[in-house]
Amino acid sequence: MIPNFETNKSDWTIRVTIGELIDVMSALSMIGRSGGNGEAHVWLTKVPKGPRLWIIRERIITTWITADAESTDPTFALPIPDRFIPHLIEVASGSGGADLFYNETEGTIIGRGTDRYISTDHPDNVEFTEKDMPYLGRIHGHHESPAVAEVSVKDLTLFTDTVQDFPRDPTDGSRVFPFVHVAIGDGQFAWTMDWRRYNAGRTTGSIPARTNGHSTFTFYPYILARYLRSRDDHEEARIFVDEQNSDYVFITGDKWGIRCLLDREELARWSSEVKAQLEREGFEVEETEGERIPDFYTFTFDNLECFASVHCKDDELSEYIRLTHILTTNTPANRDVLEEINNINATLYGARLVLRDGEVRIIVEFPAKAVTDMGSHLSVLKTALDRCKNLTVFLPLFSDSH
Amino acid sequence: MSHSPSPFGDDFGPSDESLIETFVEVEQFVLDLEPKVREVNRVLVPLFGKCPSSKDGSWAYIAKDDNDQYFIAFECLPVDKAFGLVARLAEVLALVEDANSHVRARDSYQPDLGHVIVGDVAQFNVVPHTHVRVVRKS
């Protein structure tokens, strides 16, 4: 049957240029999605009273490209399968662009060149959500310490070069490459890549920047570095972190931008294994809503709330896991309390009580590499919890309020 | 070669002290206060609707006190409009209390730099709705 692409058309058409399609394809390639699996898609929408916007979201990064919009551009978010983009480029070439529209009886998205058509099924069961939005303004003003660095894309080449300078055999068994440590401030954008875990030492670089504010942060940089290599050398880029402990760093150019999730390397190396081991031991671990790897996992042990967290040792090369239960709060650091803590610590094995920020905590710590021994360390925690049961009654007696 | 601080050379720089003070005031007005007033109105107008007392619907404006110090002032409201505002605030309060476990206002408000730094993509007020696959019978 010969298809008739011009029937049952939607009442909207979007005229896209081959230039913006190539930009989208380039972005897909740079973030490793050029292969186009069956489910991945690009969002096409329009900024209110502004430009057209192509959004590509991955777990770690979200990138966007802006292009001139026409007044007839719809404002909804249209999902376009990754695999359709190269075909649209082909249709648009020699046609001065392509028209995109929807066939309402077939449920297909159609691309039309001068005399050529291509169609694909509209993705099913997908929804554009807040997380797909490149930037979410916060009306309550969570912008305590914004930091901005304006740098030339050409200078950023030094950053991308050092990020992509892998040791010959970069494997320590953890399958997580080093995160980059970045500092913004005092007219510089500076960074360090630490390959010591791979016997290759550290590399630190700095480029001039017009800066406003100070910030330090870490993230997984490899996709970003590859993407930045595809940007025009003559452009300026703005690097922006919203606040201390921000979720994202933003890097924007004239018609493109990228949002990179900020995470901690030690969490990336061990958190999923910590969660898996807790679940293997029969604990239900609370799920978290955010995109970042959680700083700790919460689980319940004999009706007591406990936490599992990952921390770096001072040498920055090894990590340990800490299991914590907060025994009391508002506890003063007076002599009686400290003596009691010392007395109990003398009877504990593999666990200890600490007084921190007015809280008496039971903690069990062990090397992250021994994460598969979680069961035995949970037993140690259990013994300590049993030993300290009476303290929840005893220690508050020393509180100032008594 | 001239080392004049004035871009117009020594002969053309402002020599009148009062004029210089005026320039300083204008500079403070333009560079400092004016963006802050815009930021205040950017937040307040979507939240409360347009102010019924001002021509352009803004809630905040720049004013001077008796000591010639600039400050940010808010429009006066007729009694009935003030109670309308209070009703709106009560609605907002209910929303904030409902969402309080996730969103907490800080004591010190910092302007949202995203609109300046991130550019056009920061202009969304709402999440665009999704174009869904609906197939109608021919």
Side-chain angles (χ1 to χ4, degrees):
Chain A
M1 192 178 95
I2 301 296
N4 185 348
F5 294 101
E6 294 289 342
T7 59
N8 302 307
K9 284 165 57 180
S10 54
D11 58 4
W12 52 265
T13 300
I14 305 171
R15 179 75 178 168
V16 296
T17 66
I18 191 163
E20 64 189 282
L21 289 170
I22 289 171
D23 276 349
V24 173
M25 193 64 228
S26 166
L28 285 171
S29 302
M30 290 304 117
I31 65 170
R33 269 186 24 190
S34 55
N37 68 45
E39 293 177 355
H41 52 269
V42 176
W43 290 105
L44 175 57
T45 186
K46 181 180 180 294
V47 176
K49 298 176 187 169
R52 183 179 297 157
L53 184 62
W54 298 81
I55 301 167
I56 303 162
R57 179 162 166 249
E58 279 287 295
R59 197 196 85 72
I60 293 174
I61 69 162
T62 297
T63 181
W64 66 91
I65 287 153
T66 59
D68 293 338
E70 297 188 359
S71 58
T72 51
D73 269 24
T75 55
F76 52 68
L78 175 70
I80 301 176
D82 287 6
R83 294 169 57 243
F84 199 48
I85 300 293
H87 305 316
L88 283 176
I89 292 173
E90 183 60 34
V91 162
S93 65
S95 302
D99 293 321
L100 275 177
F101 49 90
Y102 180 66
N103 183 308
E104 296 183 340
T105 58
E106 299 290 333
T108 53
I109 299 169
I110 297 169
R112 176 181 62 197
T114 304
D115 52 6
R116 293 182 295 173
Y117 293 88
I118 186 76
S119 81
T120 190
D121 283 338
H122 186 299
D124 259 330
N125 302 320
V126 292
E127 186 185 3
F128 189 86
T129 66
E130 275 194 4
K131 286 178 181 173
D132 296 303
M133 301 268 284
Y135 182 81
L136 289 170
R138 296 179 186 175
I139 202 164
H140 290 278
H142 287 209
H143 313 279
E144 280 197 329
S145 311
V148 183
E150 290 182 65
V151 298
S152 84
V153 172
K154 190 171 191 316
D155 282 345
L156 275 177
T157 306
L158 185 60
F159 169 73
T160 57
D161 276 355
T162 49
V163 165
Q164 294 182 311
D165 176 23
F166 306 137
R168 193 170 292 273
D169 184 20
T171 174
D172 73 341
S174 75
R175 302 182 307 279
V176 177
F177 280 13
F179 281 35
V180 67
H181 295 248
V182 172
I184 286 175
D186 300 330
Q188 288 188 73
F189 171 81
W191 67 93
T192 295
M193 291 294 297
D194 187 348
W195 288 98
R196 283 180 295 171
R197 221 189 296 273
Y198 304 86
N199 300 317
R202 287 172 288 188
T203 310
T204 296
S206 162
I207 56 175
R210 285 184 298 282
T211 58
N212 187 356
H214 291 77
S215 191
T216 58
F217 48 92
T218 67
F219 63 96
Y220 187 77
Y222 306 97
I223 305 169
L224 173 72
R226 197 162 59 170
Y227 182 86
L228 289 175
R229 291 304 293 262
S230 69
R231 298 296 95 195
D232 185 348
D233 269 4
H234 299 96
E235 270 195 77
E236 292 279 304
R238 291 174 296 280
I239 300 163
F240 168 57
V241 175
D242 223 6
E243 57 184 320
Q244 289 297 338
N245 202 29
S246 180
D247 286 346
Y248 306 106
V249 56
F250 297 87
I251 297 116
T252 63
D254 291 340
K255 294 203 161 192
W256 56 271
I258 190 161
R259 180 184 79 186
C260 195
L261 192 64
L262 299 181
D263 264 321
R264 282 163 39 203
E265 184 178 336
E266 66 270 24
L267 298 180
R269 284 166 59 81
W270 296 108
S271 279
S272 59
E273 187 62 25
V274 168
K275 183 168 184 274
Q277 289 294 336
L278 285 169
E279 288 172 342
R280 202 164 294 154
E281 295 295 330
F283 293 100
E284 195 172 312
V285 179
E286 271 187 26
E287 292 296 330
T288 50
E289 288 182 3
E291 288 188 285
R292 294 174 71 176
I293 304 169
D295 289 337
F296 57 85
Y297 289 111
T298 307
F299 62 101
T300 304
F301 203 169
D302 284 352
N303 294 320
L304 298 173
E305 189 178 53
C306 297
F307 310 96
S309 51
V310 180
H311 305 268
C312 251
K313 283 189 175 172
D314 290 342
D315 64 4
E316 299 175 342
L317 294 176
S318 51
E319 302 90 357
Y320 60 93
I321 293 164
R322 178 185 293 158
L323 306 174
T324 304
H325 169 67
I326 298 173
L327 206 57
T328 66
T329 56
N330 297 320
T331 310
N334 60 36
R335 182 175 172 164
D336 291 335
V337 169
L338 296 173
E339 272 186 357
E340 184 63 20
I341 288 173
N342 283 342
N343 291 339
I344 294 173
N345 274 336
T347 67
L348 293 176
Y349 175 74
R352 62 194 160 98
L353 287 186
V354 296
L355 177 60
R356 196 169 298 159
D357 301 330
E359 295 175 347
V360 175
R361 306 172 188 174
I362 303 176
I363 60 174
V364 173
E365 292 175 345
F366 57 99
K369 284 189 173 173
V371 65
T372 49
D373 296 335
M374 179 70 83
S376 61
H377 295 289
L378 284 165
S379 298
V380 171
L381 179 66
K382 170 87 170 70
T383 306
L385 287 172
D386 291 342
R387 171 72 186 82
C388 297
K389 261 179 189 167
N390 293 331
L391 274 184
T392 54
V393 178
F394 177 68
L395 281 180
L397 297 177
F398 296 110
S399 166
D400 294 338
S401 59
H402 283 81
Chain B
M1 186 178 167
S2 168
H3 293 281
S4 165
S6 164
F8 307 106
D10 290 331
D11 296 337
F12 298 94
S15 54
D16 183 342
E17 283 297 318
S18 65
L19 202 57
I20 291 172
E21 284 174 15
T22 304
F23 283 153
V24 170
E25 277 188 4
V26 170
E27 193 175 337
Q28 184 198 7
F29 183 88
V30 172
L31 295 181
D32 184 25
L33 283 176
E34 203 275 338
K36 288 175 179 166
V37 168
R38 261 193 294 136
E39 172 66 11
V40 170
N41 283 315
R42 189 185 72 77
V43 173
L44 292 187
V45 172
L47 204 56
F48 300 141
K50 287 188 174 180
C51 174
S53 297
S54 66
K55 284 180 183 171
D56 62 354
S58 298
W59 288 90
Y61 59 93
I62 297 174
K64 257 185 179 179
D65 64 14
D66 294 340
N67 298 319
D68 279 347
Q69 296 296 309
Y70 284 107
F71 65 95
I72 296 176
F74 292 87
E75 294 284 352
C76 297
L77 291 179
V79 174
D80 59 333
K81 301 292 184 189
F83 279 105
L85 175 64
V86 170
R88 179 67 181 146
L89 280 169
E91 288 175 23
V92 173
L93 180 64
L95 290 170
V96 170
E97 284 184 341
D98 189 40
N100 212 20
S101 58
H102 303 293
V103 180
R104 192 171 296 279
R106 300 281 170 90
D107 292 338
S108 57
Y109 182 85
Q110 294 283 337
D112 184 350
L113 278 181
H115 294 259
V116 181
I117 306 298
V118 183
D120 291 317
V121 296
Q123 302 303 323
F124 285 100
N125 290 322
V126 293
V127 179
H129 69 274
T130 308
H131 185 275
V132 292
R133 183 174 190 261
V134 177
V135 181
R136 65 177 172 80
K137 289 180 181 173
S138 56

